[in-house]
Amino acid sequence: MTRQVWQIQLGATDKTTQVESLTYSTGRQTQFDSWGPGSLVLTILNNNGQANAYDLNDKIILTATGTSFYQWFYVQEVLFNDLAGNGKGSTATIICNDLVGRLGRIQVFEQDIPTDQTIKQLADAFDSLFPSGTGFTYIGGGDSIAAAEDKYTGTALNRMNLNMLTEQGWLGCTDERIYLYSRSEVEVFTSSITFARSASGSFQFGYSDIKRIALGSDYLNTCTVTPPVAPAQNAQNSTGVGFYDTYGTEFATVDDTGSQALSFAQWQVLTRSDPDELSFQISISDTANNLTEFFDSVYSNEPVVTVSYQKPGSGTNFNSTQIMQGFSMTVTPARTDIQVFTSPNNISYLTFFTLNSATNGVLDTSTLGW
C-alpha cells in the first residue's frame, strides 16, 4: 500500500529531514465536548543546534504530500532532550498549536460584542485578532441569536465555545482558516467516505480497530440552560426519568432569549434520550489504505462518514451515518496511524426549532408572525 508522505516547513524552509516523528490532533472526541486546541508535536534531530531555529509563534506548515491537505501551526514551546557527551543523539520536541489554540492565547479586555447571529458575531468580534493571513470563514451566519455582551473580558476561544455551544454547529480547522458551520449547514452535509472492515473501492478505508460506544455517560433526561439575559430554563424527559431515574446536566449559553434557551434544553433531552445511541472510535493506517481521499475530504471539510460494522456472532453488516468530530495521528518514517472520533447522525442531533426569534419567527396564537 502507498505510504503517506509528509512535508514539514518552518515558514518557507523545508525541515522534513530533521523530523524523526510527529503526533497530531484536531477537533474533539464527542459532540458534547468543547472545541479545544489542535496540536502538532514534532520530534526533531538536535545534534547540532537545529532546534535553535524555532522561535515562539513561528509558523509551521504540515502538508500531506500528494493530497490537498495542509495546515498552519504556531510554535508554542521547545523541549530540549540533551544527551551527555558530544550530544550526538540529542533531540528536541517542538510543540505547536493550531489556530484554535491561538484563540486560547488571544485575550481581549472589555470588548463590546453586539447581538447578532451566533457565528457571524464571532467573525465580527475576533477576525481582526488572528495572525496575518488567517481567520474565520463561516458558512451560514448562525441559526440562533447570541446575546450582546458589554465589555467582554476573556479569551477569544472561550467566547467561541459559548457561541458554538449555543449554535450547535460544526468547526473544521485546516489550511490557514477556522471554518464555522451553522447547524442548518451541517444538516445538509452528505456522507463522503466509508470506514469498513476492509477497503473495497473509492473513498473506502479498512479499519484495523473499531470501538462501538453506546451513548452511556452522555445520556440525559433533564437539562437546565442558563442564558445571560433570562432566568434559567429547564426541560425534562419524564419517560426517561421513569425508566432510568434522573440524569441531568447544566449549560451556560449565550442564547438571546429565554425561549431560545428553553428550546435548547428541550432539544438536549430529546436527542440524548437513547442510551443505546452509537458513536465510534476507528483506527486506520497507510499500511492498509491509500489515505489520499481521506485527507482530501478533511481538507474540503466533509465530516459526515458511513461506518460499516458487524456485531459479535453476527455475519450481518450494519451501516451507521456519523459525523467526524476530530482525529489524531502518529507519524513515523514507517507508517501513519490515525484514530477517528465520530458522533451520531448529524440530522437527528442538529434539527431543532427556536420559538420567539426575530430570525425564525414569533409564536403568535395559531400562526407564526414577525
Side-chain angles (χ1 to χ4, degrees):
M1 192 56 63
T2 303
R3 182 176 64 87
Q4 180 60 55
V5 177
W6 295 91
Q7 181 185 43
I8 296 91
Q9 295 169 260
L10 172 60
T13 305
D14 192 336
K15 297 290 186 179
T16 307
T17 57
Q18 293 180 357
V19 178
E20 297 184 347
S21 65
L22 68 85
T23 61
Y24 167 100
S25 67
T26 188
R28 55 188 184 176
Q29 290 197 14
T30 80
Q31 70 270 40
F32 309 119
D33 295 331
S34 296
W35 296 99
S39 69
L40 175 67
V41 179
L42 307 173
T43 299
I44 69 166
L45 182 66
N46 190 41
N47 62 350
N48 193 31
Q50 292 92 329
N52 296 332
Y54 296 82
D55 292 320
L56 180 66
N57 215 42
D58 278 351
K59 181 172 67 179
I60 304 294
I61 304 174
L62 175 70
T63 301
T65 304
T67 80
S68 303
F69 176 83
Y70 69 95
Q71 189 173 349
W72 289 9
F73 291 85
Y74 296 88
V75 175
Q76 300 299 298
E77 189 174 2
V78 178
L79 304 178
F80 295 93
N81 310 309
D82 299 330
L83 295 184
N86 62 10
K88 200 165 189 180
S90 296
T91 63
T93 303
I94 314 297
I95 301 173
C96 312
N97 278 347
D98 66 0
L99 284 172
V100 177
R102 288 293 292 117
L103 286 181
R105 299 299 298 272
I106 295 175
Q107 180 83 16
V108 299
F109 179 70
E110 293 189 348
Q111 180 168 339
D112 291 333
I113 302 177
T115 300
D116 209 333
Q117 295 167 277
T118 48
I119 291 178
K120 183 176 181 297
Q121 185 188 71
L122 288 173
D124 290 346
F126 301 122
D127 210 36
S128 64
L129 304 179
F130 278 89
S132 177
T134 69
F136 287 124
T137 294
Y138 63 89
I139 299 87
D143 297 297
S144 288
I145 304 301
E149 181 156 356
D150 296 332
K151 303 188 185 314
Y152 171 73
T153 297
T155 66
L157 177 58
N158 179 65
R159 182 68 191 201
M160 185 191 77
N161 269 308
L162 285 169
N163 282 45
M164 292 302 287
L165 169 67
T166 304
E167 175 62 24
Q168 292 295 296
W170 186 83
L171 179 154
C173 189
T174 185
D175 52 61
E176 63 273 8
R177 312 292 293 177
I178 296 176
Y179 295 88
L180 304 175
Y181 288 80
S182 68
R183 64 176 179 270
S184 59
E185 292 295 332
V186 177
E187 190 178 344
V188 299
F189 281 158
T190 57
S191 179
S192 57
I193 61 179
T194 297
F195 298 109
R197 293 162 64 87
S198 61
S200 59
S202 180
F203 290 94
Q204 293 196 20
F205 302 92
Y207 48 75
S208 57
D209 185 55
I210 182 170
K211 291 181 173 62
R212 181 164 48 96
I213 306 164
L215 197 55
S217 60
D218 289 316
Y219 170 78
L220 281 182
N221 53 37
T222 184
C223 179
T224 299
V225 175
T226 304
V229 296
Q233 305 293 312
N234 180 265
Q236 185 177 92
N237 179 343
S238 57
T239 301
V241 172
F243 274 116
Y244 303 110
D245 296 326
T246 299
Y247 281 81
T249 194
E250 182 177 6
F251 294 99
T253 68
V254 289
D255 285 299
D256 189 45
T257 64
S259 59
Q260 184 174 284
L262 178 59
S263 293
F264 181 98
Q266 292 169 336
W267 171 79
Q268 287 285 339
V269 297
L270 173 67
T271 58
R272 295 171 67 172
S273 63
D274 182 3
D276 295 322
E277 188 74 75
L278 294 178
S279 58
F280 294 87
Q281 293 181 13
I282 300 161
S283 299
I284 62 173
S285 75
D286 62 355
T287 61
N289 300 279
N290 184 326
L291 297 176
T292 299
E293 291 171 338
F294 174 82
F295 285 109
D296 284 345
S297 293
V298 169
Y299 174 78
S300 300
N301 290 313
E302 298 174 353
V304 176
V305 301
T306 300
V307 180
S308 179
Y309 65 97
Q310 291 184 5
K311 298 178 181 179
S314 170
T316 303
N317 282 329
F318 296 90
N319 291 325
S320 176
T321 302
Q322 300 272 307
I323 186 164
M324 187 165 65
Q325 295 291 347
F327 70 96
S328 62
M329 62 182 177
T330 300
V331 177
T332 67
R335 59 189 291 161
T336 295
D337 292 293
I338 299 172
Q339 186 172 42
V340 176
F341 305 99
T342 75
S343 64
N345 185 341
N346 59 299
I347 294 175
S348 67
Y349 273 79
L350 295 170
T351 303
F352 67 96
F353 182 66
T354 303
L355 297 176
N356 300 327
S357 160
T359 300
N360 298 315
V362 178
L363 190 63
D364 180 20
T365 62
S366 61
T367 61
L368 283 173
W370 277 263

